[in-house]
Amino acid sequence: MTLALATEPTQAPATQATAIQTPLLQASDIVKTFGGNKALAGVSLDVRHNEVLALVGDNGAGKSTLVKILSGAETPDSGAIAIEGRTHHIASPQDALAAGIATLHQHLGLVDCFNVPQNVFLGRELSTRVLGLFPRLLHARMLQETRRLLAELDIRLPHLDRPVSTMSGGQRQAVAISRLLLGDTRLIIMDEPMAALGVNEGQKVLDLIQRLAAKGISFLIISHNLEHVMSISSRVAVLKNGRLVGAVDTNKTSRQDITSMIVHGRT
Ligand SMILES: Nc1ncnc2c1ncn2[C@@H]1O[C@H](COP(=O)(O)OP(=O)(O)OP(=O)(O)O)[C@@H](O)[C@H]1O
Ligand SMILES: [Mg+2]
């Protein structure tokens, strides 16, 4: 895991300024049609380094379609995606992961009867070969690595050795998020992450997102909850009828302004 992006050794000031200006991800003129229905009619949107970008809009505005395209679950009819200024062809979730874009799906993708390290290392288990032949899983190493990862993320889970089915919704979400950070993830996309959580659990996930953002991970989060959006995001992008109404700095706007953008489609 590389969580040190925000505290990487300093570069020459000019280079650093250029690096900061180049968006982490740049989607340009994305068009997606389902049958005769234009879900996205040419959307351009940047995700910057170290930001929590909220994506809001009415039902059917095109939010899920846009993030599915960025995460490789859908392919656009036209348009381009660049990461750190370089064009990437994202045709599958594997392509997105290779580019550092991980998506947290609502179903979380956890195996209920597995414990925490088994879920964190799911599909990427650490193993060795006994006598050079027989594969053997390195359970102790995976437990140790999971502990290190959770400590680094400041996530406290009481029992790492219990099945995740015994955990609360927020704890399960924390496990799913840690899992995304095992690789070289730079952007985490979430579609309505807090929708299924209670108030306290939701707050813990919001806190975790903010801690990770401070460590250099960017987030693109779809939410209908404007209270969450105002408390967590650095910018808010509004979609309406498959078009971007605008993207505004959260601290320079209000809930009323955002609502007006969602309803009337103008800034
Ligand atoms: N697989 C699909 N097949 C046909 N139409 C689709 C498909 N996915 C999305 N659409 C249509 O595209 C438009 C945008 O849908 P999308 O799911 O992106 O909206 P959304 O902003 O995520 O809405 P919500 O807030 O309700 O989740 C809608 O008109 C929807 O009916
Ligand atoms: Mg949706």
PDB file of all heavy atoms in Angstrom, residues 68-85:
ATOM      1  N   LYS A  68     -19.687   4.145 -13.155  1.00  0.00           N
ATOM      2  CA  LYS A  68     -19.471   2.802 -13.727  1.00  0.00           C
ATOM      3  C   LYS A  68     -18.469   2.877 -14.877  1.00  0.00           C
ATOM      4  O   LYS A  68     -17.655   1.982 -15.062  1.00  0.00           O
ATOM      5  CB  LYS A  68     -20.792   2.215 -14.233  1.00  0.00           C
ATOM      6  CG  LYS A  68     -21.646   1.629 -13.120  1.00  0.00           C
ATOM      7  CD  LYS A  68     -22.923   1.045 -13.688  1.00  0.00           C
ATOM      8  CE  LYS A  68     -23.885   0.696 -12.579  1.00  0.00           C
ATOM      9  NZ  LYS A  68     -25.252   0.519 -13.084  1.00  0.00           N
ATOM     10  N   ILE A  69     -18.531   3.948 -15.638  1.00  0.00           N
ATOM     11  CA  ILE A  69     -17.576   4.120 -16.745  1.00  0.00           C
ATOM     12  C   ILE A  69     -16.162   4.332 -16.196  1.00  0.00           C
ATOM     13  O   ILE A  69     -15.204   3.728 -16.666  1.00  0.00           O
ATOM     14  CB  ILE A  69     -18.024   5.282 -17.663  1.00  0.00           C
ATOM     15  CG1 ILE A  69     -19.245   4.807 -18.473  1.00  0.00           C
ATOM     16  CG2 ILE A  69     -16.901   5.744 -18.571  1.00  0.00           C
ATOM     17  CD1 ILE A  69     -19.963   5.895 -19.236  1.00  0.00           C
ATOM     18  N   LEU A  70     -16.046   5.141 -15.149  1.00  0.00           N
ATOM     19  CA  LEU A  70     -14.713   5.394 -14.570  1.00  0.00           C
ATOM     20  C   LEU A  70     -14.152   4.134 -13.907  1.00  0.00           C
ATOM     21  O   LEU A  70     -12.936   3.960 -13.819  1.00  0.00           O
ATOM     22  CB  LEU A  70     -14.769   6.538 -13.549  1.00  0.00           C
ATOM     23  CG  LEU A  70     -15.268   7.875 -14.078  1.00  0.00           C
ATOM     24  CD1 LEU A  70     -15.283   8.918 -12.979  1.00  0.00           C
ATOM     25  CD2 LEU A  70     -14.396   8.350 -15.244  1.00  0.00           C
ATOM     26  N   SER A  71     -15.041   3.271 -13.415  1.00  0.00           N
ATOM     27  CA  SER A  71     -14.547   2.070 -12.722  1.00  0.00           C
ATOM     28  C   SER A  71     -14.477   0.860 -13.650  1.00  0.00           C
ATOM     29  O   SER A  71     -14.181  -0.243 -13.198  1.00  0.00           O
ATOM     30  CB  SER A  71     -15.400   1.766 -11.497  1.00  0.00           C
ATOM     31  OG  SER A  71     -16.713   1.493 -11.897  1.00  0.00           O
ATOM     32  N   GLY A  72     -14.767   1.058 -14.933  1.00  0.00           N
ATOM     33  CA  GLY A  72     -14.586  -0.029 -15.905  1.00  0.00           C
ATOM     34  C   GLY A  72     -15.761  -0.988 -15.991  1.00  0.00           C
ATOM     35  O   GLY A  72     -15.681  -1.996 -16.694  1.00  0.00           O
ATOM     36  N   ALA A  73     -16.869  -0.684 -15.299  1.00  0.00           N
ATOM     37  CA  ALA A  73     -18.027  -1.586 -15.343  1.00  0.00           C
ATOM     38  C   ALA A  73     -18.867  -1.364 -16.600  1.00  0.00           C
ATOM     39  O   ALA A  73     -19.597  -2.240 -17.031  1.00  0.00           O
ATOM     40  CB  ALA A  73     -18.882  -1.407 -14.099  1.00  0.00           C
ATOM     41  N   GLU A  74     -18.790  -0.161 -17.175  1.00  0.00           N
ATOM     42  CA  GLU A  74     -19.466   0.158 -18.445  1.00  0.00           C
ATOM     43  C   GLU A  74     -18.441   0.838 -19.344  1.00  0.00           C
ATOM     44  O   GLU A  74     -17.521   1.488 -18.844  1.00  0.00           O
ATOM     45  CB  GLU A  74     -20.614   1.167 -18.229  1.00  0.00           C
ATOM     46  CG  GLU A  74     -21.768   0.696 -17.385  1.00  0.00           C
ATOM     47  CD  GLU A  74     -22.834  -0.022 -18.208  1.00  0.00           C
ATOM     48  OE1 GLU A  74     -22.610  -0.300 -19.418  1.00  0.00           O
ATOM     49  OE2 GLU A  74     -23.893  -0.311 -17.616  1.00  0.00           O
ATOM     50  N   THR A  75     -18.623   0.689 -20.658  1.00  0.00           N
ATOM     51  CA  THR A  75     -17.726   1.426 -21.568  1.00  0.00           C
ATOM     52  C   THR A  75     -18.513   2.565 -22.211  1.00  0.00           C
ATOM     53  O   THR A  75     -19.675   2.391 -22.574  1.00  0.00           O
ATOM     54  CB  THR A  75     -17.153   0.501 -22.674  1.00  0.00           C
ATOM     55  OG1 THR A  75     -18.192  -0.346 -23.130  1.00  0.00           O
ATOM     56  CG2 THR A  75     -15.986  -0.311 -22.164  1.00  0.00           C
ATOM     57  N   PRO A  76     -17.893   3.735 -22.362  1.00  0.00           N
ATOM     58  CA  PRO A  76     -18.617   4.869 -22.953  1.00  0.00           C
ATOM     59  C   PRO A  76     -18.750   4.705 -24.473  1.00  0.00           C
ATOM     60  O   PRO A  76     -17.956   3.991 -25.090  1.00  0.00           O
ATOM     61  CB  PRO A  76     -17.710   6.057 -22.609  1.00  0.00           C
ATOM     62  CG  PRO A  76     -16.349   5.488 -22.459  1.00  0.00           C
ATOM     63  CD  PRO A  76     -16.519   4.073 -21.981  1.00  0.00           C
ATOM     64  N   ASP A  77     -19.762   5.379 -25.052  1.00  0.00           N
ATOM     65  CA  ASP A  77     -19.879   5.394 -26.521  1.00  0.00           C
ATOM     66  C   ASP A  77     -18.744   6.244 -27.092  1.00  0.00           C
ATOM     67  O   ASP A  77     -18.173   5.922 -28.129  1.00  0.00           O
ATOM     68  CB  ASP A  77     -21.219   6.016 -26.950  1.00  0.00           C
ATOM     69  CG  ASP A  77     -22.407   5.261 -26.378  1.00  0.00           C
ATOM     70  OD1 ASP A  77     -22.223   4.106 -25.962  1.00  0.00           O
ATOM     71  OD2 ASP A  77     -23.520   5.840 -26.333  1.00  0.00           O
ATOM     72  N   SER A  78     -18.442   7.344 -26.420  1.00  0.00           N
ATOM     73  CA  SER A  78     -17.318   8.183 -26.846  1.00  0.00           C
ATOM     74  C   SER A  78     -16.836   8.989 -25.652  1.00  0.00           C
ATOM     75  O   SER A  78     -17.483   9.006 -24.606  1.00  0.00           O
ATOM     76  CB  SER A  78     -17.739   9.113 -27.989  1.00  0.00           C
ATOM     77  OG  SER A  78     -18.791   9.936 -27.560  1.00  0.00           O
ATOM     78  N   GLY A  79     -15.696   9.641 -25.828  1.00  0.00           N
ATOM     79  CA  GLY A  79     -15.088  10.399 -24.739  1.00  0.00           C
ATOM     80  C   GLY A  79     -13.773   9.768 -24.329  1.00  0.00           C
ATOM     81  O   GLY A  79     -13.415   8.692 -24.825  1.00  0.00           O
ATOM     82  N   ALA A  80     -13.059  10.454 -23.437  1.00  0.00           N
ATOM     83  CA  ALA A  80     -11.728   9.976 -23.060  1.00  0.00           C
ATOM     84  C   ALA A  80     -11.519  10.099 -21.551  1.00  0.00           C
ATOM     85  O   ALA A  80     -12.130  10.944 -20.896  1.00  0.00           O
ATOM     86  CB  ALA A  80     -10.671  10.799 -23.797  1.00  0.00           C
ATOM     87  N   ILE A  81     -10.655   9.225 -21.043  1.00  0.00           N
ATOM     88  CA  ILE A  81     -10.299   9.285 -19.622  1.00  0.00           C
ATOM     89  C   ILE A  81      -8.777   9.377 -19.534  1.00  0.00           C
ATOM     90  O   ILE A  81      -8.067   8.551 -20.132  1.00  0.00           O
ATOM     91  CB  ILE A  81     -10.794   8.035 -18.873  1.00  0.00           C
ATOM     92  CG1 ILE A  81     -12.330   7.970 -18.901  1.00  0.00           C
ATOM     93  CG2 ILE A  81     -10.295   8.031 -17.423  1.00  0.00           C
ATOM     94  CD1 ILE A  81     -12.903   6.652 -18.442  1.00  0.00           C
ATOM     95  N   ALA A  82      -8.299  10.373 -18.804  1.00  0.00           N
ATOM     96  CA  ALA A  82      -6.852  10.490 -18.598  1.00  0.00           C
ATOM     97  C   ALA A  82      -6.561  10.388 -17.109  1.00  0.00           C
ATOM     98  O   ALA A  82      -7.340  10.879 -16.284  1.00  0.00           O
ATOM     99  CB  ALA A  82      -6.353  11.815 -19.151  1.00  0.00           C
ATOM    100  N   ILE A  83      -5.463   9.724 -16.773  1.00  0.00           N
ATOM    101  CA  ILE A  83      -5.030   9.642 -15.381  1.00  0.00           C
ATOM    102  C   ILE A  83      -3.640  10.237 -15.305  1.00  0.00           C
ATOM    103  O   ILE A  83      -2.765   9.855 -16.091  1.00  0.00           O
ATOM    104  CB  ILE A  83      -5.082   8.189 -14.883  1.00  0.00           C
ATOM    105  CG1 ILE A  83      -6.554   7.762 -14.829  1.00  0.00           C
ATOM    106  CG2 ILE A  83      -4.458   8.050 -13.494  1.00  0.00           C
ATOM    107  CD1 ILE A  83      -6.793   6.330 -14.881  1.00  0.00           C
ATOM    108  N   GLU A  84      -3.478  11.210 -14.406  1.00  0.00           N
ATOM    109  CA  GLU A  84      -2.234  11.976 -14.314  1.00  0.00           C
ATOM    110  C   GLU A  84      -1.839  12.512 -15.690  1.00  0.00           C
ATOM    111  O   GLU A  84      -0.670  12.486 -16.062  1.00  0.00           O
ATOM    112  CB  GLU A  84      -1.087  11.099 -13.785  1.00  0.00           C
ATOM    113  CG  GLU A  84      -1.415  10.321 -12.541  1.00  0.00           C
ATOM    114  CD  GLU A  84      -0.944  11.000 -11.263  1.00  0.00           C
ATOM    115  OE1 GLU A  84      -0.662  12.212 -11.320  1.00  0.00           O
ATOM    116  OE2 GLU A  84      -0.886  10.308 -10.245  1.00  0.00           O
ATOM    117  N   GLY A  85      -2.823  12.922 -16.485  1.00  0.00           N
ATOM    118  CA  GLY A  85      -2.547  13.536 -17.786  1.00  0.00           C
ATOM    119  C   GLY A  85      -2.335  12.555 -18.925  1.00  0.00           C
ATOM    120  O   GLY A  85      -2.179  12.974 -20.069  1.00  0.00           O
TER     121      GLY A  85
END
